[in-house]
Every structure is written in C-alpha cells, then in structure tokens.
Amino acid sequence: MEKIYALFRMNILIFVLLVATVIALFAYQYGLDEIAQLNIADCNNSDIKCAVQAETDSVDGGSSMVNLQWTDSSIVVDYELREGYAYPYAGIKIYMGDGKVRGKDLSGFDSMFVSVKPRGEGSVRLYMRGYDSEIYRENDETSLKFNEIEFFPLDETYPAVFVPKEFRVASWWVAQNEVNVHKAYVDLSNIPLIEIQTGTNAPLGYGTLEIKGITFKGKKIKKVDLVTILVAVWFVTFLIILIIRFFDYSRERAAEKKKREELEKNLRALEIEKSEYERSSKEDPLTGCLNRAGFNNVLMREQENLSKNGSPVSFVILDIDHFKDVNDTYGHNVGDEVLVGLSKLIQGKIRNTDALVRWGGEEFVILCGDTPIQNAQFLAEKLRVAIEKTPLIKQQQVTCSFGIAEMQPDEDPKKLFDRADRALYASKEGGRNRVTSATFKRASR
C-alpha cells in the first residue's frame, strides 16, 4: 500500500508539471507579446524615441533634392532624383539613442511591420544600421553596419512584414570597410540609425514616399529562455522524485536488511559455484591463463584466508587500450598476438602464487593473495611500464589501463569487481595507460 501511495504521489507531481508546461507553451504561442512602435511623425510620443532627418545622395556627390512634410500620422518625403551620382537616392534617417554608439536593441523582436507607401512604382531600401565596437570608427557614420532589405511596397501587404533573417549585410559595405567575413553577419542588438530610401535603379525625376513608421513585435521572453526554464523545472522535479524515491528505498532497505544479508550470502555461494563454470575448461585456450571457471577455486581459497587469517587479497583488472582498433586495423590474428604476448609478459613478472585470468576479450584479472592494495598498485605500475616499453607487436605500441581494489572481509565478490571495474573506468576516462586504485567506504549503520 505504501508503494502504491508513493507511485500515486509521483504521478500527481508529473501530471501537474505536464499541465504547467502545456500552459506555458500555450501562453507563449498565443500571448506574452511585446510590441514597440516607432511613430516617425511624432518621435516624442513614440515607444521608441527618435529624431528624423532628410537625406539625399549629396553626401556622395549627387544633386538629388528632398523635402519633408509632417502630417498628424506620417512624414511625406517629396524628392527629385537627379543625375550626378551613379545611384541617385533620397529618403530619411531615423536616429535612436545617441545616433552613434548607443542605439536600440531590436534583437528580441521576431517581426517588424513597415508602413511605407510610395506614390508610384519602385522599390524601397530599409537599412537597420548597427553598431559594432570592432568596426566602428569614431564620428564616421559609414562604419555603422548596413543590415539591409529592399522590397517593392506595392507587391507587399500594408504594412509590409519582415523577419530579421530576411535582412543581409550589404556586400558593398563589407568590401568598402574591409570587414572580416566572420563579422559580416546581421546583428540587431544595437541599432542607433534606421534609413528608409528610394530603391536601386529608381527612375530620375519627382516622387513621393509616405512613411508612417515601423512596429516591432516579439515575445516578452525568448523561446530559448522559456525552454531553459522548463527544462530546469523538469530537472528539479525529477531530482525531487529521486530524493523521494531514495528515502522510500532507505526505509525499505532498513526493513529488509536481515533478509537481504542472508540472500547475499547465498548469492555469493551460487555465483562462485555456477554450473557453467564447473562445466567449462579451467584454462583459456588462446593464452593459457585461467578462465573464469578456473578462477573460482583460487577465489574461494583466498576468501577463506582473508576470513580466517586476515590475509589481504587484492584484485588487479587490466584492459588493453584501443584493442578494437588493433583488430579492426590489423586483423584478429594480430589481436591474438597481442593477447598471447601480453599474458606471457605478465606471467613472467607476477608471483607463482598470483593468479592471472583472462576475464573476457581484452580484459585480464590478477588475483594477488597476501597482498595489500599498496603492493598491488606497485605491481600494476610495474606492469604498466613494462607493457608500454615492450613491443608486443611490430605495428604499434600497446598500452593497458589498470583498476585495483582490495577485498574486504565477507565482501560480495561482485561488489569487489564493481569497485575495481570503476577504478579501471576512471583510468580510461583519465586518458588510459594509467593505474587507479578503488577506495572502500563502509556503509554507515
């Protein structure tokens, strides 16, 4: 009944979190909008404070003319494009912030609505001029990045709708300012200047643009931030669930401690005397080392010595580094050569009372009786250096990683192997060709 209650409690928690996630995503999709309006006719009452100035190609040597007329809701740009500059243009500049290095961060908006009406056909250029500290030259407005888009207002809805990814950095500006290609990307995080101009190849003569402004629309919270928050909440929730499960498990463990200890004793006996080990050969046919079945008698003997006499027993597990690469590159015959050479090398450097076992594949175990962990570590380091310096095969150098653990009285061999194996894993994670000893922490009562 207690388990059912705990499961119900966790399911309720997950259900509540799932509902909260759905609500958050729904709110993001259909709400949480942030809107900022740039009303050019009345910058003082606009969401984005600004200042407007007429511009023509006169700064480039042209002779075009422009005249601005303010209405209640817009600015009317009357212009005359004249010969004198290769690409005659006219329009307005909209300064925000200080108009130089401190502008408006527009990167949080995912769409913009541009209210521009031409009286006649032709394209319009929209420049979002960005400040970049690595490119900007003091008091040189041309060094502000040209994030541009060109469109035909008569072919668009009114107002025309654009998203930031539709902008590009003007190639002529990149070349003119010798900007590194890695810096030539659209960046709307600091926009001190917006320009609206007549488009490319605009016809010479008179024309008019009526400009109301630009509306920026986005979300009050970025999608990546929302996802991060949701992931964090899910993580914390599952952490809480794990903590709850830990305490539940601790209570169960305390209640069943005696029963589990008896089962563990029986399991140790069963694991050592498994019938599959008794039926198998005592030696590995390739290397001549003991195999797992032949290892059982030695293990039982050393366990008995430890239990009766307190004689320390240490395990050394070693694994050939990148052995799969050897097989894949040079073939299994070369791999077998490595295994045979390695086993002979080790047999020549350990005591007769030590047992060398081929545990499986490229993994070996050395059972060292009457050996504390410090001596086993010294042996492993000696073997590691010898293996590294010995050309087991001519194709490449062979190295091994080692994990060491010392058996504790009445310890389940499986736990001993687990500790030694974790030490071996630490050696591999630490860069291979090294020795790591496992520590033993006695469970508190």
Side-chain angles (χ1 to χ4, degrees), residues 169-181 183-185:
V169 177
S171 58
W172 60 265
W173 178 83
V174 172
Q176 176 179 301
N177 289 272
E178 299 180 351
V179 176
N180 184 286
V181 65
K183 298 293 294 182
Y185 56 85

Side-chain angles (χ1 to χ4, degrees), residues 204-216:
L204 299 177
Y206 293 96
T208 301
L209 290 176
E210 182 182 4
I211 305 172
K212 288 190 175 182
I214 305 175
T215 299
F216 299 92

Side-chain angles (χ1 to χ4, degrees), residues 261-384:
E261 288 177 349
E262 186 64 31
L263 290 174
E264 287 175 352
K265 290 179 181 179
N266 294 334
L267 180 61
R268 284 199 298 270
L270 290 173
E271 287 180 345
I272 295 173
E273 298 175 357
K274 283 182 180 178
S275 59
E276 62 186 48
Y277 293 150
E278 295 175 349
R279 292 192 300 267
S280 64
S281 170
K282 302 300 181 182
E283 287 187 353
D284 175 56
L286 175 64
T287 63
C289 304
L290 291 176
N291 62 12
R292 295 193 185 190
F295 179 63
N296 282 342
N297 291 335
V298 181
L299 176 61
M300 293 180 66
R301 182 188 69 216
E302 295 300 338
Q303 278 185 301
E304 185 176 356
N305 289 338
L306 173 62
S307 177
K308 291 182 178 180
N309 309 322
S311 179
V313 180
S314 292
F315 273 48
V316 178
I317 298 181
L318 61 131
D319 187 276
I320 303 173
D321 297 329
H322 304 295
F323 185 70
K324 183 178 183 299
D325 294 341
V326 174
N327 279 332
D328 292 345
T329 304
Y330 308 114
H332 289 278
N333 288 338
V334 176
D336 290 347
E337 184 181 343
V338 173
L339 294 171
V340 172
L342 177 64
S343 62
K344 289 181 178 179
L345 187 153
I346 296 174
Q347 290 281 23
K349 293 186 179 296
I350 62 177
R351 303 171 302 182
N352 292 334
T353 56
D354 296 333
L356 175 63
V357 184
R358 185 182 177 193
W359 198 250
E362 68 272 23
E363 193 172 73
F364 292 79
V365 172
I366 306 172
L367 177 61
C368 304
D370 195 22
T371 303
I373 193 169
Q374 295 87 350
N375 294 358
Q377 184 169 356
F378 177 80
L379 171 64
E381 182 61 27
K382 182 175 73 172
L383 291 174
R384 184 193 70 78

